[in-house]
Amino acid sequence: MSDPVVRIEGVGKVYGGDRLRVEVLSGIDLEVREGEFVALMGPSGSGKTTLLNLIAAIDRPTAGRVLVAGQDTSALGEGDLAPWRHRHIGYIFQLYNLIPVLTAYENVELPLTLSRLKTADRRAKVETALGVVDLLDRQDHFPRELSGGQLQRVAIARAIVTDPTVLLADEPTGDLDAESAERVLRLIERLNTEFEKTIILVTHDPRAAEHAHRVLHLEKGKLWSDPEG
Amino acid sequence: MRKLVWRNLLRNKRRTIFTVASVTIAVLLLCVLMAVLATFEPAATAASENRLVVRHAVSLQFDLPEAYWRRLKTLDHVEAVTPLTWFGGIYKDQRPENFFPQFGADPVTLLDVFTDIQIGEDELAAWSAERRAFLAGRSLAEKYGWEIGDEIFLRGEIYPVDLNLTLRGIYTHADDESQERQLFFHRAYVEEALGNPGSVGTYWLRVDVIDNIPAVIETAEAMFENSQARVKAETEQAFALSFTEMIGNVKLLFGAIGLAVVVSVFFITANTMAMAMRERSTEMAVLKTLGFRRGRVLGLVTAESAAIGLLGGVAGVALAAVVLRSVANALAGVFPLFRVLALSPDVAAIGVGVALVLGLLSGALPGWVMARRPVVDGLRRLG
Ligand SMILES: Nc1ncnc2c1ncn2[C@@H]1O[C@H](COP(=O)(O)OP(=O)(O)OP(=O)(O)O)[C@@H](O)[C@H]1O
Ligand SMILES: [Mg+2]
């Protein structure tokens, strides 16, 4: 058994001040091992995105610790977090969040502009990532020229191009038709089986959750596992 | 990265063009103001304390009769009088850098008044002896590489006479190099070509003692009170000072106008950048999620606004050069001073510099606010 890649210890998240206090998460514990594929389910507003953001260290917990790849992220300052994120986190959004003025190729290339790479190496990485999502033929298209399913596949390529430690996907199929959704889900599953990526997938869709090794439920600030998980 | 800055710039073309245009106009105005001020500047240099200028009471552009010369000489305390007439001809071409003052002078009396002009006896004699000879200041001669015996051609603009002149002497000035950037020829040359109208632009008087200057001014002006052309007499200093004083006020006014324009354009560009950034707040949050540091995100925005500033600055300077040249050409005949109106490298550099700083700041200010916003805020906004 390998060390957990993600380890969450007694994490709580409270929004707002004294008047508009919202306790979204309280006393959350979670371990995700390397190579694991975990689905996170729960009603709207239950704090799934919040939990994902805490793991990605784009938000900070109000209680507890979040460790990713052994690093306590709350111990890092803003200046160290950016490169840390670049190395360890691949984030896939529900609404793709591609940069509209960049082509598919350039969007995937974007994270690589932060690392010192030879042009040829960079090109090879981008092409590999676009190859995995099967969009090499669309690489010169701008986001407005692509369908929702294609956009999400470009976003996945962008998330994997840096070979991050964890892939976080926040309802990646939430905005897609059934066929595109299925394709994206199979792709995510393949990233886990073939490329052994550690994946945390937030979804509303029980069928999507079926692809995962383990299904977690978040409700009223608490987290529990499926009985059979 | 550069690609991203460039594409963002072209994202909303109308807005970018509008912003660049407002910077362009600000820089254009700034450069023109500075260039106009710069033309006034040289007029305020070296003045001799015991010299007087007598000119037409109405305007420098009107000539005085030749007959006044003899009468001015009769004034008490006046030791010498010499006429100087501004020729304002074109040497080589219309370009401002080829402009320099040219005066029709009287070889016999010129140095009696302008005692600070230094020249060898032989050269002075050679100049006096020949109708088409001219005398050049050392700086001017050096600028064009003229040597004694060289011939030059001046095309008349104010007067319908072209001059073929031969260099017979090079003078230096005791303490003001700027006085060496002009030339003197025989006023008789022009007079004859025009059929001896007997007109003189200005008379220059040397007064024996400084204390007597007020009295000489008074009597000189009184002398022609009832003549066909009334005169105004003033010290060379006052002549220069009237410029300087005017410049002082104009400077203040121009400075205020310039500042107001730059500040308001700063608000326009800063507001535009803030608008652009609000539209892109999700993208900025995404960049940070991908691992872009705040500084890098800020850099992207600032590079964009700096590019706007730079484009506007260069366009403004280019436009100013064109505007100044056409104004100079249009006004050269009417007001010779404006002949030198041109965009100096200094002014151009200031123009571009101001635009660049303006661009940088207008991106950096809202950019700094945006870059510091928590990532989740940016992601929640639209997602
Ligand atoms: N900045 C904030 N200030 C106050 N409350 C917030 C803030 N951000 C999120 N919340 C609240 O936290 C709760 C959890 O939000 P979160 O986005 O994590 O839910 P979610 O489970 O992802 O929901 P959905 O399935 O709709 O995406 C919600 O009730 C939301 O209103
Ligand atoms: Mg959510």
Side-chain angles (χ1 to χ4, degrees):
Chain A
M1 271 277 264
S2 47
D3 281 343
V5 167
V6 177
R7 188 188 175 110
I8 292 171
E9 297 173 352
V11 157
K13 179 69 182 178
V14 177
Y15 283 113
D18 298 333
R19 262 186 320 126
L20 292 165
R21 210 180 117 91
V22 189
E23 185 171 43
V24 181
L25 302 172
S26 72
I28 302 277
D29 293 305
L30 172 67
E31 284 193 0
V32 179
R33 287 181 306 278
E34 191 171 353
E36 215 183 349
F37 180 4
V38 176
L40 178 61
M41 299 189 71
S44 181
S46 56
K48 305 180 296 295
T49 299
T50 304
L51 188 58
L52 228 48
N53 289 345
L54 292 176
I55 298 169
I58 51 180
D59 203 357
R60 290 183 185 276
T62 42
R65 301 202 301 164
V66 177
L67 291 95
V68 177
Q71 171 72 51
D72 179 358
T73 53
S74 52
L76 294 176
E78 188 58 41
D80 296 322
L81 272 179
W84 178 87
R85 252 180 242 132
H86 180 247
R87 231 191 99 184
H88 294 292
I89 303 295
Y91 207 117
I92 300 160
F93 306 90
Q94 179 176 351
L95 292 173
Y96 334 121
N97 281 338
L98 297 176
I99 307 295
V101 291
L102 298 179
T103 62
Y105 182 94
E106 290 159 354
N107 264 289
V108 176
E109 188 187 25
L110 195 56
L112 295 180
T113 61
L114 295 176
S115 33
R116 249 185 268 271
L117 277 178
K118 286 203 207 86
T119 317
D121 294 344
R122 192 191 291 184
R123 171 158 284 273
K125 278 179 190 276
V126 175
E127 282 174 355
T128 304
L130 281 169
V132 169
V133 301
D134 195 20
L135 277 174
L136 275 170
D137 55 333
R138 296 304 194 110
Q139 55 174 288
D140 293 326
H141 288 242
F142 284 93
R144 63 170 180 278
E145 300 161 344
L146 297 171
S147 72
Q150 289 167 335
L151 290 172
Q152 194 58 294
R153 276 147 60 205
V154 175
I156 291 171
R158 179 179 67 181
I160 61 173
V161 75
T162 51
D163 193 20
T165 311
V166 203
L167 271 183
L168 306 171
D170 192 358
E171 298 185 50
T173 58
D175 223 47
L176 300 178
D177 61 89
E179 202 181 318
S180 307
E182 188 52 36
R183 184 161 185 185
V184 163
L185 282 172
R186 279 206 311 272
L187 176 58
I188 289 175
E189 187 171 26
R190 201 179 131 223
L191 292 175
N192 173 253
T193 53
E194 195 175 318
F195 299 95
E196 295 168 346
K197 305 280 10 159
T198 308
I199 297 172
I200 303 176
L201 169 74
V202 168
T203 182
H204 280 294
D205 182 0
R207 276 177 309 155
E210 278 169 18
H211 294 263
H213 301 155
R214 187 154 61 112
V215 181
L216 301 168
H217 293 272
L218 189 62
E219 204 169 345
K220 302 205 172 79
K222 299 290 177 198
L223 191 69
W224 75 87
S225 274
D226 255 4
E228 67 268 43
Chain B
M1 294 293 272
R2 223 172 302 149
K3 211 155 27 187
L4 185 53
V5 173
W6 182 242
R7 299 262 178 85
N8 275 332
L9 209 54
L10 297 180
R11 198 165 185 166
N12 190 331
K13 291 199 189 66
R14 199 186 323 142
R15 183 165 65 194
T16 303
I17 289 169
F18 172 74
T19 316
V20 169
S22 50
V23 177
T24 302
I25 290 166
V27 170
L28 165 66
L29 198 81
L30 205 66
C31 286
V32 169
L33 291 178
M34 284 191 292
V36 170
L37 277 181
T39 27
F40 292 153
E41 222 72 76
T45 50
S48 167
E49 291 184 327
N50 63 343
R51 265 201 298 266
L52 286 181
V53 194
V54 171
R55 60 176 178 94
H56 199 286
V58 178
S59 161
L60 263 173
Q61 285 159 53
F62 296 114
D63 285 339
L64 295 171
E66 201 169 26
Y68 285 15
W69 190 358
R70 190 173 33 78
R71 295 179 64 189
L72 285 166
K73 274 192 280 197
T74 64
L75 289 171
D76 284 346
H77 309 299
V78 171
E79 299 201 318
V81 181
T82 197
L84 280 185
T85 304
W86 176 275
F87 182 65
I90 292 171
Y91 177 63
K92 283 187 180 171
D93 54 41
Q94 295 259 19
R95 285 186 301 155
E97 55 266 38
N98 284 332
F99 163 81
F100 51 85
Q102 309 131 10
F103 294 101
D106 172 50
V108 182
T109 54
L110 180 70
L111 268 68
D112 295 344
V113 176
F114 292 92
T115 48
D116 31 17
I117 286 181
Q118 297 162 343
I119 184 166
E121 289 286 333
D122 297 350
E123 293 187 2
L124 183 61
W127 175 52
S128 309
E130 189 181 333
R131 179 59 39 106
R132 282 161 48 159
F134 78 101
L135 206 57
R138 186 178 51 189
S139 295
L140 187 66
E142 279 171 1
K143 176 177 174 188
Y144 292 109
W146 293 337
E147 298 192 357
I148 303 290
D150 282 0
E151 294 190 7
I152 67 162
F153 176 76
L154 295 181
R155 188 150 54 81
E157 273 229 303
I158 302 171
Y159 300 98
V161 185
D162 297 337
L163 304 180
N164 281 297
L165 300 169
T166 312
L167 183 63
R168 289 298 178 213
I170 294 175
Y171 71 86
T172 57
H173 190 275
D175 44 38
D176 184 2
E177 187 268 340
S178 72
Q179 300 289 317
E180 293 178 5
R181 289 182 227 146
Q182 44 197 26
L183 68 74
F184 299 99
F185 57 87
H186 291 217
R187 57 176 290 272
Y189 185 6
V190 175
E191 276 289 301
E192 270 168 24
L194 293 172
N196 292 309
S199 61
V200 167
T202 52
Y203 288 103
W204 295 71
L205 283 53
R206 184 160 58 81
V207 178
D208 55 1
V209 198
I210 296 172
D211 295 346
N212 293 328
I213 280 189
V216 175
I217 288 177
E218 202 172 313
T219 48
E221 289 183 352
M223 184 175 237
F224 303 104
E225 191 62 38
N226 301 310
S227 307
Q228 56 183 108
R230 286 188 302 113
V231 303
K232 181 168 168 59
E234 55 193 351
T235 60
E236 193 174 338
Q237 274 169 323
F239 192 62
L241 228 103
S242 58
F243 273 121
T244 319
E245 255 167 43
M246 182 175 75
I247 293 163
N249 294 331
V250 171
K251 236 180 195 159
L252 205 66
L253 180 70
F254 281 17
I257 296 173
L259 191 70
V261 169
V262 170
V263 166
S264 44
V265 167
F266 167 74
F267 282 117
I268 292 176
T269 44
N271 186 48
T272 308
M273 287 312 294
M275 254 158 62
M277 275 178 247
R278 263 194 303 277
E279 282 165 21
R280 295 183 216 151
S281 59
T282 307
E283 283 164 47
M284 292 171 86
V286 169
L287 289 179
K288 284 194 270 184
T289 309
L290 294 179
F292 281 63
R293 288 175 199 267
R294 282 174 180 172
R296 227 186 168 90
V297 175
L298 178 62
L300 281 173
V301 183
T302 314
E304 187 179 338
S305 64
I308 288 180
L310 201 61
L311 279 173
V314 170
V317 164
L319 212 57
V322 173
V323 167
L324 287 169
R325 170 139 316 166
S326 29
V327 170
N329 288 339
L331 290 184
V334 192
F335 194 19
L337 197 64
F338 278 136
R339 175 75 67 74
V340 294
L341 199 58
L343 191 70
S344 71
D346 286 0
V347 170
I350 293 174
V352 174
V354 165
L356 191 61
V357 170
L358 191 148
L360 280 171
L361 281 182
S362 60
L365 252 56
W368 191 72
V369 175
M370 288 298 289
R372 288 182 58 86
R373 280 187 49 188
V375 183
V376 282
D377 282 11
L379 290 177
R380 284 210 186 265
R381 206 179 183 87
L382 295 175

